Amino acid sequence: MIAAETNRESLSPESLSIDEFLARELNKDLLRFSTAGSVDDGKSTLIGRLLYDARGIYDDQLDSIRKSKVNRSSGAIDFSLLTDGLRAEREQGITIDVAYRYFSTPRRKFIIADTPGHEQYTRNMATGASTAQLAIVLVDARNGVLPQTRRHATISALLGIPRLVLAVNKMDLVDYSREVFEKIRSDFFAFTSDFGFEEIQPIPISALEGENVARRGGQMHWYGGPALLEYLETVPVSEDTRSRPLRFPVQYVIRPDQHFRGYAGQIASGTLRVGDRVAVLPSGQSSRVASITTFDGDMQSAHAPMSVTVTLEDERDISRGDMLTHLDDQPYVSRRFEANLVWMTEDPLAAGRSLLLKHSAQQVSARVHSIESRLDIGTMERKPAATLSLNDIGTVRIDASRPIFFDRYRDNRLTGAFILIDPLTNSTVGAGMIQSAVRRQTVDLGHVTPEERYARNGHGPALLALANGPLALRLERRLFDHGCQVIAAAQGAHTAALYAAGLIVISPSFTGERAIDLNHLPLPGDEEAAVDAIMAYLEQNGILATDRFSSGEGI
């Protein structure tokens, strides 16, 4: 710790010029973390102590806290009052709302979300932890792991938080017992073993006394790990959103005059460059990026999470809620999906309920198709359920009124998350994490066989993936003029029915073994020649009947 303290002093603002100080502050990385635990585990006290020891409190705030007559039993300074901002919170000594606090050290900047511990306010915990890169779950050393501790750890895992700190607090009240700490650590690791956390760091602390908070104390010599602040300053925080597939939801179309049409939004993931060929969802049309503009001027490239305005080389029908992606790595496009859902209102959720679904930059009407299961926090088992009550966590299937463009939550937190809104009260009633697209049940083919459809249509069914929008439309016209049953449409729940009916379906992207990917064919630049090459390819692979199409005449 002497070396760490020496390094900390060498980074102090007093040793830097103003330019060096500003440059250092600008280049610091940012860690967002949340705190959670049961009532009276000491979350607010821990955050207050952390701010105090890290010198993140202004003098007037400290003077106000010292003069407070609330809860003076905590000592000369009640650190919890630094984050319990509501009058009701101070009177009851609990956290109700999510309290955000900002501070920095010479190594890193931090945003803290102090979330409620009471079961009644679990929905606020889900809100506060939704953007966190790390979660601190507190456990009172006297009480051990409680059901609410399990609930908070479960929500943290569902929200995709990669790292978790198990902070065993109030060690001073159990005489800094190593046996107590090891028992809690063992119990916690036992029920989180299958949660998929990249790392769980257990730390014994006393927030009131400052033991192992900002620096290691002298009461727990048996503990050889880092203090809490030391861990927060050194834990990796990069989410590597730049290397993920491009997702650019359009939030606003800027049209100041007839010479400019720009599409504004925040890049959810990936990197976008001038000249990139992009697909527009849901239309499937494609174009090239003509320019990328920000408040500071034009750029040659931009990456997540930058907010930019993009112009395209071609005129395309694009509105709020549409999405730009690269041609070779597109999201799921579907009306139906399965998701984990945290229900956040007292009115129970039942299958068949109609709600508004807000996903990325679009909002659509949706219906809860079914409730597949409810998670039993005590046993961590998923059990059948007809309804979800306040703070329940369940798996549901949802039908949206129109296709949405999404990734699985574990692959992309921004395009895999959504909220449900009550259309009557406009209040948020659920927060969801998409797990997968859902295919509809197999269509009953009746008594008409695929062979009979082939003989009638002159072709078999096909799912053709072609991201070049204009070329896809030209191919659709050519096939239709030749008598084919064909449609160009975005992939969705209807795809299986169209395929079963013997149609050729053209879409920007398809998933599954039956899909034929035309995007990687070596096609000529001329669209008519490209269509000729595709027609020949379909004949060679038995999709089109050679004797009916090789002459170039329609049926």
Side-chain angles (χ1 to χ4, degrees), residues 242-516:
R242 300 184 190 183
S243 63
R244 294 177 182 172
L246 173 67
R247 303 290 183 259
F248 181 70
V250 176
Q251 298 179 10
Y252 189 68
V253 179
I254 299 176
R255 183 73 167 168
D257 54 53
Q258 61 181 349
H259 303 295
F260 185 89
R261 184 192 297 271
Y263 310 104
Q266 183 183 42
I267 301 176
S269 64
T271 300
L272 184 65
R273 298 177 178 84
V274 173
D276 280 359
R277 194 158 191 87
V278 294
V280 181
L281 300 178
S283 68
Q285 295 181 322
S286 64
S287 183
R288 291 190 183 275
V289 176
S291 68
I292 301 173
T293 305
T294 68
F295 179 80
D296 297 318
D298 289 349
M299 308 178 67
Q300 288 300 305
S301 66
H303 55 78
M306 296 174 64
S307 296
V308 299
T309 298
V310 176
T311 63
L312 303 179
E313 293 181 355
D314 308 293
E315 292 288 339
R316 295 288 181 255
D317 182 13
I318 301 175
S319 59
R320 174 179 170 84
D322 291 355
M323 180 179 288
L324 302 183
T325 70
H326 284 141
L327 301 182
D328 57 350
D329 203 339
Q330 299 187 20
Y332 292 95
V333 180
S334 179
R335 289 179 52 247
R336 175 180 281 192
F337 58 86
E338 186 171 280
N340 289 322
L341 184 71
V342 181
W343 190 242
M344 304 166 67
T345 186
E346 295 180 356
D347 186 18
L349 172 68
R353 182 168 177 175
S354 296
L355 299 161
L356 297 177
L357 183 148
K358 189 178 189 310
H359 171 268
S360 187
Q362 63 176 329
Q363 181 171 296
V364 302
S365 58
R367 184 178 67 90
V368 178
H369 178 270
S370 61
I371 298 176
E372 299 297 304
S373 63
R374 179 181 62 82
L375 182 65
D376 187 321
I377 297 297
T379 63
M380 303 309 299
E381 295 179 356
R382 295 190 177 272
K383 299 181 177 180
T387 62
L388 293 181
S389 302
L390 175 65
N391 296 325
D392 275 350
I393 302 170
T395 302
V396 299
R397 291 191 175 186
I398 293 179
D399 288 338
S401 59
R402 62 174 185 264
I404 63 173
F405 335 114
F406 61 87
D407 298 280
R408 294 175 299 183
Y409 187 82
R410 66 172 178 265
D411 297 329
N412 193 317
R413 291 175 70 178
L414 290 176
T415 56
F418 66 92
I419 61 173
L420 296 177
I421 302 171
D422 189 318
L424 298 179
T425 64
N426 205 37
S427 60
T428 301
V429 295
M433 291 71 69
I434 299 175
Q435 303 304 304
S436 63
V438 176
R439 300 180 182 275
R440 291 192 182 274
Q441 295 180 350
T442 304
V443 178
D444 186 357
L445 300 181
H447 298 290
V448 180
T449 66
E451 292 75 16
E452 290 175 305
R453 295 182 191 278
Y454 186 91
R456 170 67 64 84
N457 296 332
H459 62 79
L463 304 178
L464 306 182
L466 185 58
N468 186 328
L471 182 59
L473 296 178
R474 190 179 290 270
L475 176 62
E476 179 191 36
R477 170 53 63 180
R478 174 76 70 85
L479 289 169
F480 181 80
D481 289 344
H482 279 68
C484 294
Q485 301 294 319
V486 59
I487 185 172
Q491 182 181 8
H494 56 272
T495 303
L498 295 174
Y499 185 90
L503 272 69
I504 298 175
V505 186
I506 308 172
S507 182
S509 64
F510 277 117
T511 57
E513 298 179 355
R514 298 181 301 187
I516 300 174

Side-chain angles (χ1 to χ4, degrees), residues 201-215:
Q201 175 65 53
I203 303 177
I205 64 173
S206 171
L208 188 63
E209 302 298 332
E211 291 283 329
N212 285 343
V213 178
R215 57 187 58 86

Side-chain angles (χ1 to χ4, degrees), residues 160-172:
I161 298 175
R163 291 178 172 82
L164 187 143
V165 174
L166 171 62
V168 182
N169 193 22
K170 303 187 180 183
M171 289 295 295
D172 53 307

